[in-house]
């Protein structure tokens, strides 16, 4: 179990983890398998990891307009954790909601709401 957490937490050249890439490429089934296998607290820790631009996997899903990966991530966190993840800011102080608004992803906004 600790090896899984360590592998999923590993940063690539851009500071991204596997969850960042799964969010980018909509690998929602794999993301769900990983998040199902860790505790709620470990899930929050994994989803809070930022890349070199200070973006979380949630930021990347919101930027890309992927409602399904967003649902996977938000369904694995309690209300306080969801709120905290949605308040995290990227390198130019953008929250995931800023990215949704900027790109006009109404479907993502409905999932968050």
């Amino acid at each position: 179990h600790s090896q899984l957490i360590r592998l999923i937490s590993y940063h690539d050249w851009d500071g991204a983890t596997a969850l960042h890439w799964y969010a980018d490429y909509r690998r929602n089934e794999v993301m769900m398998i990983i998040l199902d296998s860790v505790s709620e607290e470990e899930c929050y820790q994994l989803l809070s990891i930022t890349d070199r631009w200070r973006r979380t996997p949630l930021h990347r899903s919101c930027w890309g307009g992927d409602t399904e990966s967003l649902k996977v991530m938000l369904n694995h966190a309690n209300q306080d954790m969801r709120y905290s993840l949605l308040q995290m800011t990227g390198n130019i102080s953008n929250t995931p909601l800023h990215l949704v608004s900027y790109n006009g992803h109404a479907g993502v906004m409905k999932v968050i709401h």
Side-chain angles (χ1 to χ4, degrees):
H1 182 78
S2 63
Q3 289 176 338
L4 172 66
I5 299 294
R6 190 176 25 229
L7 288 171
I8 298 302
S9 300
Y10 180 79
H11 295 258
D12 69 5
W13 60 272
D14 195 31
T17 66
L19 289 177
H20 286 90
W21 287 105
Y22 295 146
D24 283 348
Y25 291 99
R26 302 175 185 226
R27 303 293 191 251
N28 302 326
E29 285 184 48
V30 178
M31 186 186 301
M32 190 177 313
I33 290 167
I34 290 168
L35 296 179
D36 281 345
S37 68
V38 298
S39 71
E40 191 174 73
E41 181 61 34
E42 291 165 331
C43 176
Y44 176 73
Q45 290 170 357
L46 291 171
L47 293 175
S48 296
I49 296 172
T50 59
D51 62 15
R52 74 176 178 154
W53 305 106
R54 294 182 41 212
R55 296 171 301 186
T56 64
L58 199 73
H59 280 91
R60 290 165 80 142
S61 285
C62 287
W63 177 261
D66 184 9
T67 58
E68 292 308 311
S69 67
L70 188 63
K71 287 177 189 176
V72 168
M73 288 184 274
L74 293 177
N75 286 338
H76 281 85
N78 67 38
Q79 185 174 351
D80 291 336
M81 291 175 183
R82 285 192 298 270
Y83 181 76
S84 179
L85 289 168
L86 290 168
Q87 295 299 309
M88 294 184 78
T89 57
N91 65 327
I92 56 173
S93 301
N94 286 328
T95 67
L97 292 175
H98 287 116
L99 301 177
V100 170
S101 299
Y102 179 79
N103 288 304
H105 296 306
V108 173
M109 184 57 82
K110 287 179 184 177
V111 169
I112 292 171
H113 185 269

